[in-house]
Amino acid sequence: MKKVIYLLLSFFCLTGIALSQEVKVLTLEETIRLARENSRNAKQAETSRTLGYWSYQVYKSQLRPQLLLTGNLPNYVNRATPIVQEDGSVQYRTVNQNTSDLSLGLQQVLPWTNTTVSFETNLARFDNYALLGPNDPKTLYQGDPVGLTIRQPLFNVNPFKWDRLTQPLEYEQSKKSYVQDMEETSRIAAQFFFRLLVEQKNLEIAIQNEQSNDTIYRIEQGRYNIGTSTEDQLLQTELNLLTAQAEAQQARLDVQSFSLELRNFIGLRDDVRLELVPPSDVPEFNIDYEEALQYAKDNRAEWIEFQLQRLEAERQVADARARRFSADLIAQFGYNSAQVNSLSGVYDGANVATGSRVSLTFSLPILDGGRNKARMNQARARQANTEFTVEQNEINFEQEIANAVRNFDQIRSQIDIAEKRQEIALKGFEITNGRYLAGKVGILELNNARETKDAAVRNYISALQQYWVAYYELRSLTLYDFRNREILYNPLLEYDPKTDSVIEISRD
């Protein structure tokens, strides 16, 4: 009896705080909504989406013209400097001078040919502070009022050609990854929800068993006192009571632990006691494997990753081929001013004449020791290895979808069986309990009926858990909701971090 009193006191100590807590009722849908709004997984997915958006904006900005102001001012020197004389000798002379240059240019890249075109104006100034004569010009100017520069790599890999193929894919991949990560967040939230629901159901069963075993123990005491029960039966009922009390205490601790886990994941900071409401129905719908696989290929970020890996391997081969030799052509044309003493003279037509410059730099190895051949073979071997890896990953991708569809169909059929077993077990326990109270069966038969009932209840909750976790896993794997028949990824929706909103873009 002292043990019973001690266990009761322990129970009230453990639950005293919980009883004073506010109760928050959560459904599965509400839990998932909170997780998508508050969880760290969701915040990380939003950050990755924003990063993908700005990475794509960086790529697009490289295709737009840019106005550049460059310069070097001042560049002041006051020291002894070696000066080469007409006869080739060197004299060290003290110089006290400053040179400054400034350039303003409009630059545009032509991505089709990797050509850089610049329209620019240049101005240079030279100040010689060492001149002592009053008629010596201490300041000189020179400039190019208008100039056109064209830079054309002749054999190099055109990075814009490959970026035009990969950057839109990477941006699309980032958008799909966001939806996929949010669906994965929903799956994890559902998993945590049912883990706590299972523990709450275990606590409910434990409390029922505790109360039932307490009643049975009292009945056996009465029967033992009047001689209709044996001492071993009384001891067995007392042992069952103590076991039920211990299991109830452990169940309360488990509920507290899993409640904290769920609250942390969905971002609930309030000190509330969670009360979960299981889904009232289990929707029935068919999933065709070929249909699921096609949605996965159309919507999953991994399928784009396969394309990117192949493109990167092709790019490495092209880069190895281009490194055999290189050449750059630079052509400049414009108006060039002579050396003048005033700034206005730079733009005086009398001092300006047309000027041009063309240069071709190249590098052509005559004997490279087999470097080019080795690089090409290396790149081709990497491409072959990439192709093999991608093909294997595609097989794994398809197998993952097949397993998920097969698993879901099997779970759906098991739920009906689990529900029917629960109904039968509950009814069987009710009958056996009545027969025990009437003295027609013993304690062993009652214990067996209780264990069968508890196992059936737990199996049904476990089947529900498997069903909903598998449902959200399928959503994550295909980005398609087979229950409501809708695609979860819309390529026309684009996140705008400047307004922190999702907008619909035009196909044009």
Side-chain angles (χ1 to χ4, degrees):
M1 190 64 184
K2 289 182 180 179
K3 293 182 179 179
V4 175
I5 295 175
Y6 173 76
L7 291 173
L8 289 174
L9 289 175
S10 300
F11 164 73
F12 285 114
C13 289
L14 288 171
T15 59
I17 298 177
L19 292 173
S20 63
Q21 287 179 319
E22 177 187 352
V23 176
K24 183 173 183 59
V25 179
L26 282 180
T27 62
L28 177 60
E29 291 77 11
E30 177 69 10
T31 300
I32 290 175
R33 183 188 67 80
L34 291 173
R36 294 171 72 98
E37 291 178 358
N38 305 322
S39 69
R40 291 187 181 90
N41 295 48
K43 300 301 181 184
Q44 185 175 2
E46 292 171 0
T47 303
S48 298
R49 176 181 62 177
T50 304
L51 177 61
Y53 172 85
W54 287 118
S55 297
Y56 188 60
Q57 297 308 310
V58 169
Y59 157 71
K60 292 202 299 183
S61 68
Q62 296 173 349
L63 305 178
R64 305 188 188 105
Q66 57 177 336
L67 187 62
L68 296 176
L69 178 63
T70 60
N72 183 13
L73 64 156
N75 183 17
Y76 177 72
V77 178
N78 184 10
R79 57 171 294 172
T81 304
I83 305 297
V84 179
Q85 305 301 305
E86 293 182 357
D87 60 358
S89 63
V90 174
Q91 295 286 335
Y92 285 87
R93 302 289 180 84
T94 299
V95 298
N96 185 3
Q97 62 189 29
N98 176 62
T99 56
S100 302
D101 60 82
L102 198 64
S103 175
L104 179 65
L106 185 65
Q107 187 179 93
Q108 173 66 59
V109 174
L110 305 180
W112 309 278
T113 57
N114 192 22
T115 305
T116 302
V117 180
S118 302
F119 294 93
E120 55 194 11
T121 178
N122 303 307
L123 178 65
R125 170 174 169 162
F126 173 74
D127 298 292
N128 192 347
Y129 303 112
L131 295 178
L132 301 177
N135 296 324
D136 294 333
K138 291 184 171 57
T139 301
L140 298 174
Y141 293 92
Q142 190 277 329
D144 303 322
V146 179
L148 170 66
T149 301
I150 299 175
R151 293 179 175 85
Q152 177 62 62
L154 297 182
F155 301 106
N156 294 355
V157 169
N158 183 357
F160 297 99
K161 167 192 172 183
W162 293 100
D163 287 345
R164 191 165 62 249
L165 297 174
T166 61
Q167 289 296 328
L169 285 176
E170 289 181 2
Y171 181 47
E172 193 75 6
Q173 183 185 34
S174 70
K175 295 195 295 182
K176 291 183 176 182
S177 294
Y178 169 73
V179 180
Q180 197 168 318
D181 290 342
M182 295 302 287
E183 290 301 322
E184 179 64 13
T185 299
S186 299
R187 186 195 68 81
I188 296 174
Q191 191 173 34
F192 285 164
F193 176 89
F194 278 100
R195 285 174 65 175
L196 177 56
L197 182 63
V198 167
E199 295 304 325
Q200 287 185 345
K201 181 59 67 173
N202 286 336
L203 176 58
E204 179 184 333
I205 292 173
I207 292 175
Q208 291 175 354
N209 290 342
E210 184 181 17
Q211 296 171 348
S212 177
N213 278 285
D214 181 69
T215 301
I216 292 171
Y217 176 66
R218 295 178 184 278
I219 292 174
E220 285 297 325
Q221 276 185 321
R223 291 177 177 176
Y224 178 75
N225 291 334
I226 62 175
T228 57
S229 179
T230 62
E231 185 178 4
D232 61 329
Q233 289 181 325
L234 179 61
L235 292 174
Q236 181 63 47
T237 56
E238 184 178 10
L239 180 61
N240 291 344
L241 174 59
L242 294 174
T243 301
Q245 290 171 342
E247 290 176 351
Q249 284 194 58
Q250 184 60 49
R252 292 185 184 94
L253 293 175
D254 292 340
V255 166
Q256 291 179 7
S257 175
F258 284 102
S259 294
L260 181 61
E261 178 184 60
L262 178 59
R263 284 167 52 190
N264 287 340
F265 184 76
I266 64 179
L268 277 182
R269 298 293 177 259
D270 299 332
D271 188 16
V272 296
R273 182 163 56 90
L274 300 180
E275 183 177 319
L276 304 186
V277 179
S280 58
D281 63 336
V282 180
E284 290 190 38
F285 49 86
N286 297 321
I287 300 178
D288 179 70
Y289 164 69
E290 295 296 335
E291 181 184 18
L293 179 60
Q294 189 59 50
Y295 281 123
K297 290 181 178 180
D298 293 342
N299 301 326
R300 282 278 294 277
E302 286 83 352
W303 201 256
I304 294 182
E305 180 62 26
F306 299 153
Q307 301 177 52
L308 289 172
Q309 290 177 8
R310 287 190 171 102
L311 286 173
E312 179 59 28
E314 292 177 16
R315 180 173 184 166
Q316 290 179 1
V317 172
D319 182 67
R321 183 180 296 109
R323 290 175 63 185
R324 291 179 295 180
F325 43 81
S326 63
D328 293 301
L329 176 65
I330 300 177
Q332 292 179 315
F333 174 81
Y335 292 95
N336 179 258
S337 74
Q339 177 178 290
V340 294
N341 299 328
S342 63
L343 179 61
S344 60
V346 175
Y347 303 98
D348 189 345
N351 301 319
V352 175
T354 59
S356 61
R357 186 179 73 172
V358 177
S359 66
L360 175 65
T361 61
F362 64 90
S363 174
L364 179 62
I366 305 301
L367 183 64
D368 66 353
R371 289 181 180 86
N372 287 324
K373 181 178 180 181
R375 276 197 297 263
M376 282 299 300
N377 289 335
Q378 181 188 45
R380 290 194 178 103
R382 286 176 176 172
Q383 184 181 29
N385 184 64
T386 298
E387 185 63 31
F388 173 79
T389 302
V390 169
E391 288 178 357
Q392 184 60 50
N393 289 337
E394 287 178 348
I395 294 174
N396 296 339
F397 180 92
E398 296 177 1
Q399 188 63 43
E400 184 180 23
I401 302 300
N403 291 338
V405 172
R406 190 183 306 112
N407 181 55
F408 183 82
D409 291 339
Q410 186 176 8
I411 291 173
R412 183 63 189 85
S413 62
Q414 289 177 349
I415 284 184
D416 295 333
I417 298 175
E419 186 176 16
K420 188 64 176 177
R421 288 181 60 187
Q422 178 181 244
E423 293 176 1
I424 295 174
L426 288 172
K427 185 65 175 177
F429 174 74
E430 181 181 348
I431 294 173
T432 304
N433 188 58
R435 296 184 65 193
Y436 171 78
L437 295 177
K440 295 183 179 180
V441 296
I443 190 64
L444 293 178
E445 289 84 352
L446 181 62
N447 288 340
N448 291 335
R450 179 183 293 108
E451 291 174 359
T452 301
K453 180 260 297 181
D454 294 346
V457 172
R458 292 189 180 99
N459 287 340
Y460 178 68
I461 294 297
S462 177
L464 282 180
Q465 178 185 21
Q466 294 177 22
Y467 173 86
W468 286 106
V469 170
Y471 166 72
Y472 283 103
E473 181 183 20
L474 267 174
R475 285 170 57 113
S476 176
L477 291 175
T478 62
L479 297 191
Y480 184 77
D481 185 359
F482 289 91
R483 177 186 180 186
N484 299 312
R485 290 292 169 182
E486 61 180 7
I487 298 177
L488 302 174
Y489 171 71
N490 185 350
L492 298 182
L493 294 182
E494 184 173 291
Y495 174 68
D496 184 3
K498 293 175 287 189
T499 60
D500 193 23
S501 60
V502 177
I503 59 176
E504 186 169 355
I505 59 177
S506 171
R507 289 187 180 273
D508 300 332

Coordinates of all heavy atoms in Angstrom, one line a residue, residues 247-311:
E247 N 4.3 1.9 -15.9 CA 4.2 2.2 -17.3 C 3.5 3.6 -17.6 O 3.8 4.3 -18.5 CB 3.4 1.1 -18.0 CG 4.1 -0.2 -18.1 CD 3.3 -1.3 -18.7 OE1 2.0 -1.1 -18.9 OE2 3.8 -2.4 -19.0
A248 N 2.5 3.9 -16.7 CA 1.9 5.2 -16.8 C 2.8 6.4 -16.5 O 2.8 7.4 -17.2 CB 0.7 5.3 -15.8
Q249 N 3.7 6.2 -15.5 CA 4.7 7.2 -15.3 C 5.7 7.4 -16.4 O 6.0 8.5 -16.8 CB 5.5 6.9 -14.0 CG 4.8 7.1 -12.7 CD 5.7 7.0 -11.5 OE1 6.6 7.8 -11.4 NE2 5.4 6.1 -10.6
Q250 N 6.1 6.3 -17.0 CA 7.0 6.4 -18.1 C 6.3 7.0 -19.3 O 6.9 7.8 -20.1 CB 7.5 5.0 -18.5 CG 8.6 5.0 -19.6 CD 9.8 5.8 -19.3 OE1 10.4 5.6 -18.2 NE2 10.2 6.6 -20.2
A251 N 5.1 6.7 -19.5 CA 4.3 7.3 -20.6 C 4.2 8.8 -20.5 O 4.3 9.6 -21.5 CB 2.9 6.6 -20.7
R252 N 4.0 9.3 -19.2 CA 3.9 10.7 -19.0 C 5.2 11.4 -19.4 O 5.3 12.5 -20.0 CB 3.5 11.0 -17.6 CG 2.1 10.6 -17.2 CD 1.7 11.0 -15.8 NE 0.4 10.5 -15.5 CZ 0.2 9.3 -14.8 NH1 1.2 8.6 -14.5 NH2 -1.1 9.0 -14.6
L253 N 6.3 10.8 -19.0 CA 7.6 11.4 -19.3 C 7.9 11.4 -20.8 O 8.4 12.4 -21.4 CB 8.8 10.6 -18.6 CG 8.8 10.6 -17.1 CD1 9.9 9.7 -16.6 CD2 9.1 12.1 -16.6
D254 N 7.5 10.3 -21.5 CA 7.6 10.3 -23.0 C 6.8 11.3 -23.7 O 7.2 11.9 -24.6 CB 7.2 8.9 -23.5 CG 8.2 7.8 -23.0 OD1 9.3 8.1 -22.7 OD2 7.8 6.6 -23.0
V255 N 5.6 11.5 -23.1 CA 4.7 12.6 -23.7 C 5.4 13.9 -23.6 O 5.4 14.8 -24.5 CB 3.3 12.5 -23.1 CG1 2.5 13.8 -23.4 CG2 2.5 11.3 -23.5
Q256 N 5.9 14.2 -22.4 CA 6.6 15.5 -22.2 C 7.8 15.7 -23.1 O 8.0 16.7 -23.7 CB 7.1 15.6 -20.7 CG 5.9 15.7 -19.7 CD 6.5 15.8 -18.3 OE1 7.7 15.9 -18.1 NE2 5.6 15.8 -17.3
S257 N 8.5 14.6 -23.3 CA 9.7 14.7 -24.2 C 9.3 14.9 -25.6 O 9.9 15.8 -26.3 CB 10.5 13.4 -24.1 OG 11.6 13.4 -25.0
F258 N 8.3 14.2 -26.2 CA 7.9 14.3 -27.5 C 7.1 15.6 -27.8 O 7.1 16.2 -28.9 CB 7.1 13.1 -28.0 CG 7.9 11.9 -28.2 CD1 8.0 10.9 -27.3 CD2 8.7 11.8 -29.4 CE1 8.8 9.8 -27.6 CE2 9.5 10.7 -29.7 CZ 9.5 9.7 -28.7
S259 N 6.5 16.1 -26.7 CA 5.8 17.4 -26.8 C 6.8 18.5 -27.0 O 6.6 19.4 -27.9 CB 5.0 17.7 -25.6 OG 3.9 16.8 -25.4
L260 N 7.9 18.5 -26.3 CA 8.9 19.5 -26.4 C 9.6 19.4 -27.8 O 9.8 20.4 -28.5 CB 10.0 19.2 -25.4 CG 11.2 20.2 -25.4 CD1 10.7 21.6 -25.2 CD2 12.2 19.8 -24.3
E261 N 9.7 18.2 -28.3 CA 10.3 18.0 -29.7 C 9.4 18.6 -30.7 O 9.9 19.4 -31.6 CB 10.5 16.5 -29.9 CG 11.0 16.2 -31.3 CD 11.1 14.7 -31.6 OE1 10.0 14.0 -31.5 OE2 12.2 14.1 -31.8
L262 N 8.1 18.4 -30.6 CA 7.2 18.9 -31.6 C 7.1 20.4 -31.5 O 7.1 21.2 -32.5 CB 5.8 18.3 -31.5 CG 4.7 18.8 -32.4 CD1 5.1 18.6 -33.9 CD2 3.4 18.1 -32.1
R263 N 7.0 21.0 -30.3 CA 6.9 22.4 -30.1 C 8.1 23.1 -30.6 O 8.0 24.2 -31.3 CB 6.7 22.7 -28.6 CG 5.3 22.4 -28.0 CD 5.3 22.4 -26.5 NE 5.9 23.6 -26.0 CZ 6.2 23.8 -24.7 NH1 6.0 22.9 -23.8 NH2 6.7 25.0 -24.3
N264 N 9.3 22.6 -30.4 CA 10.5 23.2 -30.9 C 10.5 23.2 -32.5 O 10.9 24.2 -33.1 CB 11.7 22.5 -30.4 CG 12.0 22.8 -28.9 OD1 11.5 23.7 -28.4 ND2 12.8 21.9 -28.3
F265 N 10.0 22.2 -33.1 CA 10.1 22.1 -34.5 C 9.1 23.1 -35.2 O 9.4 23.7 -36.2 CB 9.7 20.7 -35.0 CG 9.9 20.5 -36.5 CD1 11.1 20.4 -37.1 CD2 8.7 20.4 -37.3 CE1 11.2 20.3 -38.4 CE2 8.9 20.3 -38.7 CZ 10.1 20.2 -39.2
I266 N 7.9 23.2 -34.6 CA 6.9 24.1 -35.2 C 7.0 25.5 -34.7 O 6.2 26.3 -35.1 CB 5.5 23.5 -35.0 CG1 5.1 23.5 -33.5 CG2 5.3 22.1 -35.7 CD1 3.7 23.0 -33.3
G267 N 7.9 25.7 -33.8 CA 8.2 27.1 -33.4 C 7.2 27.6 -32.3 O 7.0 28.8 -32.2
L268 N 6.6 26.7 -31.5 CA 5.8 27.2 -30.4 C 6.6 27.5 -29.2 O 7.3 26.6 -28.6 CB 4.8 26.1 -30.1 CG 3.5 26.0 -30.9 CD1 2.6 24.9 -30.4 CD2 2.7 27.3 -30.9
R269 N 6.7 28.8 -28.8 CA 7.5 29.2 -27.7 C 6.6 29.3 -26.4 O 7.2 29.4 -25.3 CB 8.1 30.5 -28.0 CG 9.1 30.5 -29.1 CD 10.3 29.6 -28.8 NE 11.2 29.5 -30.0 CZ 11.3 28.4 -30.8 NH1 10.5 27.4 -30.6 NH2 12.1 28.4 -31.8
D270 N 5.3 29.3 -26.5 CA 4.5 29.4 -25.3 C 4.5 28.1 -24.5 O 4.6 27.0 -25.1 CB 3.0 29.7 -25.7 CG 2.9 31.0 -26.5 OD1 3.8 31.9 -26.2 OD2 2.0 31.2 -27.3
D271 N 4.4 28.2 -23.2 CA 4.4 27.0 -22.3 C 3.0 26.5 -22.3 O 2.2 26.7 -21.4 CB 4.9 27.4 -20.9 CG 5.1 26.2 -20.1 OD1 5.1 25.1 -20.6 OD2 5.1 26.4 -18.8
V272 N 2.7 25.7 -23.3 CA 1.3 25.1 -23.5 C 1.4 23.6 -23.5 O 2.5 23.0 -23.8 CB 0.6 25.6 -24.7 CG1 0.4 27.1 -24.7 CG2 1.5 25.3 -26.0
R273 N 0.3 23.0 -23.1 CA 0.2 21.5 -23.2 C -0.5 21.2 -24.5 O -1.6 21.7 -24.8 CB -0.5 21.0 -22.0 CG -0.6 19.5 -22.0 CD -1.0 19.0 -20.6 NE -2.2 19.6 -20.1 CZ -3.4 19.1 -20.2 NH1 -3.6 18.0 -20.9 NH2 -4.5 19.7 -19.8
L274 N 0.1 20.3 -25.3 CA -0.4 20.0 -26.6 C -1.4 18.9 -26.5 O -1.2 17.9 -25.8 CB 0.7 19.6 -27.6 CG 1.7 20.7 -27.9 CD1 2.8 20.2 -28.9 CD2 1.1 22.0 -28.4
E275 N -2.5 19.0 -27.2 CA -3.5 18.0 -27.3 C -3.8 17.7 -28.8 O -4.3 18.6 -29.5 CB -4.8 18.4 -26.6 CG -5.9 17.3 -26.6 CD -7.1 17.7 -25.8 OE1 -7.0 18.3 -24.7 OE2 -8.2 17.4 -26.3
L276 N -3.4 16.6 -29.3 CA -3.5 16.3 -30.7 C -4.8 15.6 -31.1 O -5.2 14.7 -30.3 CB -2.3 15.5 -31.1 CG -0.9 16.0 -30.8 CD1 0.2 15.1 -31.4 CD2 -0.7 17.4 -31.2
V277 N -5.3 16.0 -32.2 CA -6.5 15.4 -32.7 C -6.1 14.7 -34.0 O -5.7 15.3 -35.0 CB -7.6 16.5 -33.1 CG1 -8.8 15.9 -33.6 CG2 -7.9 17.3 -31.8
P278 N -6.3 13.4 -34.0 CA -5.9 12.6 -35.2 C -6.8 12.9 -36.4 O -8.0 13.3 -36.2 CB -6.1 11.1 -34.7 CG -7.0 11.2 -33.6 CD -6.8 12.5 -32.9
P279 N -6.4 12.7 -37.6 CA -7.2 12.9 -38.8 C -8.5 12.1 -38.7 O -8.4 10.9 -38.3 CB -6.4 12.5 -39.9 CG -5.0 12.7 -39.4 CD -5.0 12.3 -38.0
S280 N -9.6 12.7 -39.0 CA -10.9 11.9 -38.9 C -11.1 10.9 -40.0 O -11.9 10.0 -39.8 CB -12.0 12.9 -38.9 OG -12.0 13.7 -40.1
D281 N -10.4 11.1 -41.1 CA -10.6 10.2 -42.2 C -9.3 9.8 -42.9 O -8.3 10.5 -42.7 CB -11.6 10.8 -43.3 CG -11.0 12.1 -43.9 OD1 -10.2 12.7 -43.2 OD2 -11.4 12.4 -45.0
V282 N -9.4 8.8 -43.6 CA -8.2 8.3 -44.4 C -8.6 8.3 -45.9 O -9.3 7.4 -46.3 CB -7.7 7.0 -44.0 CG1 -6.5 6.5 -44.8 CG2 -7.3 7.0 -42.5
P283 N -8.3 9.3 -46.7 CA -8.8 9.4 -48.0 C -8.2 8.2 -48.9 O -7.1 7.8 -48.7 CB -8.2 10.7 -48.6 CG -7.5 11.4 -47.4 CD -7.4 10.5 -46.3
E284 N -9.1 7.8 -49.8 CA -8.7 6.7 -50.7 C -8.5 7.3 -52.1 O -9.4 8.0 -52.6 CB -9.8 5.7 -50.7 CG -10.0 4.8 -49.5 CD -10.9 3.7 -49.7 OE1 -10.9 3.1 -50.8 OE2 -11.7 3.4 -48.7
F285 N -7.4 7.1 -52.7 CA -7.1 7.5 -54.0 C -6.0 6.5 -54.6 O -5.2 6.0 -53.9 CB -6.7 8.9 -54.1 CG -5.6 9.3 -53.1 CD1 -4.2 9.1 -53.5 CD2 -5.9 9.8 -51.9 CE1 -3.3 9.4 -52.6 CE2 -4.9 10.2 -51.0 CZ -3.6 10.0 -51.3
N286 N -6.1 6.4 -55.9 CA -5.1 5.5 -56.6 C -3.9 6.3 -57.1 O -4.1 7.5 -57.5 CB -5.8 4.8 -57.7 CG -6.9 3.9 -57.2 OD1 -6.8 3.2 -56.2 ND2 -8.0 3.8 -58.0
I287 N -2.7 5.7 -57.1 CA -1.5 6.3 -57.6 C -0.9 5.4 -58.6 O -0.6 4.3 -58.3 CB -0.5 6.6 -56.4 CG1 -1.1 7.5 -55.4 CG2 0.8 7.2 -57.0 CD1 -0.2 7.8 -54.2
D288 N -0.8 5.9 -59.8 CA -0.2 5.2 -60.9 C 1.3 5.5 -60.9 O 1.7 6.6 -60.9 CB -0.8 5.6 -62.3 CG -0.2 4.8 -63.4 OD1 -0.4 3.6 -63.5 OD2 0.5 5.4 -64.2
Y289 N 2.1 4.4 -61.0 CA 3.6 4.6 -60.9 C 4.1 5.4 -62.1 O 4.9 6.3 -61.9 CB 4.3 3.2 -61.0 CG 5.7 3.3 -61.3 CD1 6.6 3.9 -60.4 CD2 6.2 2.8 -62.5 CE1 8.0 4.0 -60.7 CE2 7.6 3.0 -62.8 CZ 8.4 3.5 -61.9 OH 9.8 3.7 -62.2
E290 N 3.6 5.2 -63.3 CA 4.1 5.9 -64.5 C 3.8 7.4 -64.3 O 4.6 8.3 -64.7 CB 3.5 5.3 -65.8 CG 4.0 3.9 -66.1 CD 5.5 3.8 -66.3 OE1 6.1 4.9 -66.7 OE2 6.1 2.7 -66.1
E291 N 2.6 7.6 -63.8 CA 2.1 9.0 -63.6 C 3.0 9.7 -62.6 O 3.5 10.9 -62.7 CB 0.7 9.1 -63.2 CG 0.1 10.5 -63.0 CD -1.3 10.5 -62.5 OE1 -1.8 9.4 -62.1 OE2 -2.0 11.5 -62.6
A292 N 3.2 9.0 -61.5 CA 4.1 9.6 -60.4 C 5.5 9.8 -60.9 O 6.1 10.8 -60.5 CB 4.1 8.6 -59.2
L293 N 6.0 8.9 -61.7 CA 7.4 9.1 -62.2 C 7.5 10.3 -63.1 O 8.5 11.0 -63.0 CB 7.8 7.8 -62.9 CG 9.2 7.8 -63.5 CD1 10.3 8.0 -62.4 CD2 9.5 6.5 -64.3
Q294 N 6.5 10.5 -63.9 CA 6.5 11.6 -64.8 C 6.4 12.9 -64.1 O 7.1 13.9 -64.4 CB 5.4 11.5 -65.8 CG 5.5 12.5 -67.0 CD 6.8 12.4 -67.8 OE1 7.1 11.3 -68.2 NE2 7.5 13.5 -67.9
Y295 N 5.6 13.0 -63.0 CA 5.5 14.2 -62.2 C 6.8 14.4 -61.5 O 7.3 15.6 -61.4 CB 4.4 14.1 -61.2 CG 3.0 14.3 -61.7 CD1 2.0 13.4 -61.6 CD2 2.7 15.6 -62.4 CE1 0.7 13.6 -62.2 CE2 1.5 15.8 -62.9 CZ 0.5 14.8 -62.8 OH -0.8 15.1 -63.3
A296 N 7.5 13.4 -61.1 CA 8.8 13.5 -60.4 C 9.8 14.1 -61.4 O 10.6 15.0 -61.0 CB 9.2 12.2 -59.8
K297 N 9.9 13.6 -62.6 CA 10.8 14.1 -63.6 C 10.5 15.5 -64.0 O 11.4 16.3 -64.2 CB 10.8 13.2 -64.8 CG 11.3 11.8 -64.6 CD 11.3 11.0 -65.9 CE 11.9 9.6 -65.7 NZ 11.8 8.8 -67.0
D298 N 9.3 15.9 -64.0 CA 8.9 17.3 -64.4 C 9.1 18.3 -63.3 O 9.4 19.4 -63.6 CB 7.4 17.3 -64.8 CG 7.1 16.5 -66.1 OD1 8.1 16.3 -66.8 OD2 5.9 16.2 -66.3
N299 N 9.0 17.8 -62.0 CA 9.0 18.8 -60.9 C 10.2 18.7 -60.0 O 10.5 19.7 -59.3 CB 7.7 18.6 -60.1 CG 6.5 18.7 -60.9 OD1 6.4 19.5 -61.9 ND2 5.4 18.0 -60.6
R300 N 10.9 17.6 -59.9 CA 11.9 17.4 -58.9 C 13.2 18.2 -59.3 O 13.6 18.2 -60.4 CB 12.3 15.9 -58.7 CG 11.3 15.2 -57.8 CD 11.5 15.4 -56.3 NE 12.8 14.8 -55.9 CZ 12.9 13.5 -55.6 NH1 11.9 12.7 -55.7 NH2 14.1 13.1 -55.2
A301 N 13.9 18.8 -58.3 CA 15.1 19.5 -58.5 C 16.2 18.5 -58.9 O 17.1 18.9 -59.7 CB 15.5 20.2 -57.3
E302 N 16.2 17.2 -58.5 CA 17.2 16.3 -58.8 C 17.3 16.0 -60.3 O 18.4 15.7 -60.8 CB 17.0 15.0 -58.0 CG 17.3 15.0 -56.5 CD 16.2 15.6 -55.7 OE1 15.2 16.1 -56.3 OE2 16.3 15.5 -54.5
W303 N 16.2 16.0 -61.0 CA 16.2 15.7 -62.4 C 16.9 16.8 -63.2 O 17.6 16.6 -64.1 CB 14.8 15.6 -62.9 CG 14.7 14.8 -64.2 CD1 14.5 15.3 -65.5 CD2 14.9 13.4 -64.4 NE1 14.6 14.3 -66.4 CE2 14.8 13.1 -65.8 CE3 15.1 12.3 -63.5 CZ2 14.9 11.8 -66.3 CZ3 15.3 11.1 -64.0 CH2 15.2 10.8 -65.4
I304 N 16.8 18.1 -62.7 CA 17.5 19.2 -63.3 C 19.0 19.0 -63.0 O 19.9 19.3 -63.8 CB 17.0 20.5 -62.8 CG1 15.6 20.8 -63.2 CG2 17.9 21.6 -63.2 CD1 15.0 22.1 -62.8
E305 N 19.3 18.5 -61.8 CA 20.7 18.3 -61.4 C 21.4 17.3 -62.3 O 22.6 17.4 -62.7 CB 20.8 17.8 -59.9 CG 22.2 17.5 -59.4 CD 23.1 18.7 -59.4 OE1 22.5 19.8 -59.3 OE2 24.3 18.6 -59.5
F306 N 20.7 16.3 -62.8 CA 21.2 15.3 -63.7 C 21.6 16.1 -65.0 O 22.7 15.8 -65.6 CB 20.2 14.2 -64.0 CG 19.8 13.4 -62.8 CD1 18.6 12.8 -62.8 CD2 20.7 13.3 -61.8 CE1 18.3 12.0 -61.7 CE2 20.4 12.5 -60.7 CZ 19.1 11.9 -60.6
Q307 N 20.8 17.0 -65.5 CA 21.1 17.7 -66.7 C 22.3 18.6 -66.5 O 23.2 18.7 -67.4 CB 19.9 18.6 -67.1 CG 18.6 17.8 -67.4 CD 17.4 18.7 -67.7 OE1 17.5 19.6 -68.5 NE2 16.3 18.6 -66.9
L308 N 22.4 19.2 -65.3 CA 23.5 20.1 -65.0 C 24.8 19.4 -65.0 O 25.9 19.9 -65.4 CB 23.3 20.9 -63.7 CG 22.2 21.9 -63.7 CD1 21.9 22.4 -62.3 CD2 22.6 23.1 -64.7
Q309 N 24.8 18.2 -64.4 CA 26.0 17.4 -64.4 C 26.5 17.0 -65.8 O 27.7 17.0 -66.0 CB 25.8 16.1 -63.5 CG 25.6 16.4 -62.0 CD 25.3 15.1 -61.3 OE1 25.3 14.0 -61.8 NE2 24.9 15.3 -60.0
R310 N 25.6 16.7 -66.6 CA 26.0 16.3 -68.0 C 26.5 17.6 -68.7 O 27.5 17.5 -69.5 CB 24.8 15.8 -68.8 CG 24.4 14.4 -68.4 CD 23.3 13.8 -69.3 NE 23.1 12.4 -69.1 CZ 22.0 11.9 -68.5 NH1 21.1 12.7 -68.0 NH2 21.9 10.6 -68.3
L311 N 25.9 18.7 -68.5 CA 26.4 19.9 -69.2 C 27.8 20.3 -68.6 O 28.6 20.8 -69.4 CB 25.4 21.1 -68.9 CG 24.1 21.0 -69.7 CD1 23.1 22.1 -69.2 CD2 24.4 21.2 -71.2

